[in-house]
Amino acid sequence: MITCRSAEELVKLRAANQLVARILEDLRRLVVPGATTAGIDAEAERLVGVAGAQPAFKGYRGFPATICASRNHEVVHGIPSSQALVEGDILSIDMGVKLDGWYGDSAVTVGVGAIAPEAQRLLDVTEASLYKGIDAVRPGARVSDIGQAVQAYVEAQGFTVVREFVGHGIGTKLHEEPQIPNYGPGGRGPRLAEGMVLAIEPMVNAGRAAVRVLSDGWTAITVDGTLSAHFEHTVAVTADGVEILTLRPAAMASGR
């Protein structure tokens, strides 16, 4: 069932998602050569606890960590490890919290030190595609209009969109209806309505779209070994468009 949230419920969702945004802003600063994703995960769990919240991912269907840490050709659901990051890597950090019974969810991809121009372009295109999808959110639009906007932009830039993993509704559960594919065609699926809350999360590959899951049962990688990037915001449908609930402080300061 697709739920439209009341003003009071949106206040609680806003708080959970802003907590995710603030923690991700702190974690981005830890992504440096020599750091480990296990160390970043430990700090994420500490910050979640200090805020009086619970990690949304840890224990979810058996996932062992607070963050998903996906490096280079890892697409999503990477398990944090003690392997050190090196200059030129890219790292996707996906995390969620549960605060007072409500969930927040967001993801960013960060370069480790100086990265290659083609890697930076992948990050830029993936983040821009997220905002293309968000710009398609308005009352009366269809869910698939979001994916159409993402796919059209990504493919025009010469990259590919992952099909196996999609966005989702979010609220008192981490994953709710509707599912939100990052590809079209548009004009299909449920109509968006004021009060719906959606996690939009394009995953974009530098090479082919195909992915496979490793033997750990979680980590998805590109089949051809090319880089992958992942950005995610949780948004609320408003009367006149959309509110980004996980907008990070730096983005707010820049006027996005």
Side-chain angles (χ1 to χ4, degrees):
M1 184 175 112
I2 299 171
T3 304
C4 293
R5 302 297 177 185
S6 67
E8 292 79 11
E9 291 172 330
L10 285 173
V11 168
K12 296 174 181 178
L13 277 160
R14 192 176 291 113
N17 282 284
Q18 272 299 294
L19 175 59
V20 173
R22 292 193 299 272
I23 293 175
L24 274 178
E25 192 78 2
D26 289 339
L27 298 183
R28 287 169 66 103
R29 301 187 186 101
L30 304 181
V31 181
V32 296
T36 68
T37 52
I40 296 169
D41 179 69
E43 177 63 3
E45 185 165 357
R46 186 189 74 81
L47 291 170
V48 170
V50 167
Q54 298 84 43
F57 298 174
K58 191 170 186 177
Y60 181 78
R61 297 182 178 176
F63 190 75
T66 295
I67 64 170
C68 297
S70 306
R71 181 178 179 181
N72 295 332
H73 68 297
E74 296 173 352
V75 178
V76 70
H77 301 157
I79 297 173
S81 77
S82 59
Q83 183 179 15
L85 299 171
V86 300
E87 185 103 6
D89 282 345
I90 63 172
L91 179 70
S92 299
I93 303 174
D94 185 5
M95 72 161 291
V97 305
K98 184 180 183 182
L99 178 66
D100 297 329
W102 297 85
Y103 283 90
D105 191 6
S106 187
V108 297
T109 303
V110 184
V112 181
I115 63 175
E118 57 268 28
Q120 186 61 57
R121 184 167 174 270
L122 174 66
L123 268 59
D124 293 343
V125 167
T126 307
E127 185 170 23
S129 78
L130 170 60
Y131 286 106
K132 294 291 185 183
I134 291 171
D135 288 344
V137 175
R138 64 183 64 86
R142 298 279 190 178
V143 165
S144 68
D145 296 341
I146 299 169
Q148 181 186 45
V150 171
Q151 181 184 15
Y153 180 77
V154 167
E155 293 182 352
Q157 306 304 312
F159 297 121
T160 60
V161 174
V162 172
R163 263 71 167 173
E164 286 84 352
F165 303 100
V166 300
H168 52 91
I170 186 170
T172 55
K173 297 179 180 177
L174 180 60
H175 294 114
E176 298 182 350
E177 292 297 325
Q179 292 193 347
I180 307 168
N182 296 301
Y183 51 93
R188 299 182 180 182
R191 289 197 182 275
L192 303 181
E194 183 179 358
M196 290 175 64
V197 180
L198 313 169
I200 302 172
E201 50 178 326
M203 288 153 245
V204 175
N205 295 346
R208 293 163 51 202
V211 306
R212 66 180 180 90
V213 177
L214 298 181
S215 59
D216 63 20
W218 285 103
T219 308
I221 65 170
T222 58
V223 167
D224 59 8
T226 56
L227 295 178
S228 186
H230 176 201
F231 283 84
E232 177 184 17
H233 273 312
T234 295
V235 307
V237 184
T238 65
D240 56 357
V242 64
E243 176 188 354
I244 303 175
L245 301 181
T246 46
L247 199 62
R248 292 177 293 280
M252 289 180 183
S254 70
R256 169 65 209 184

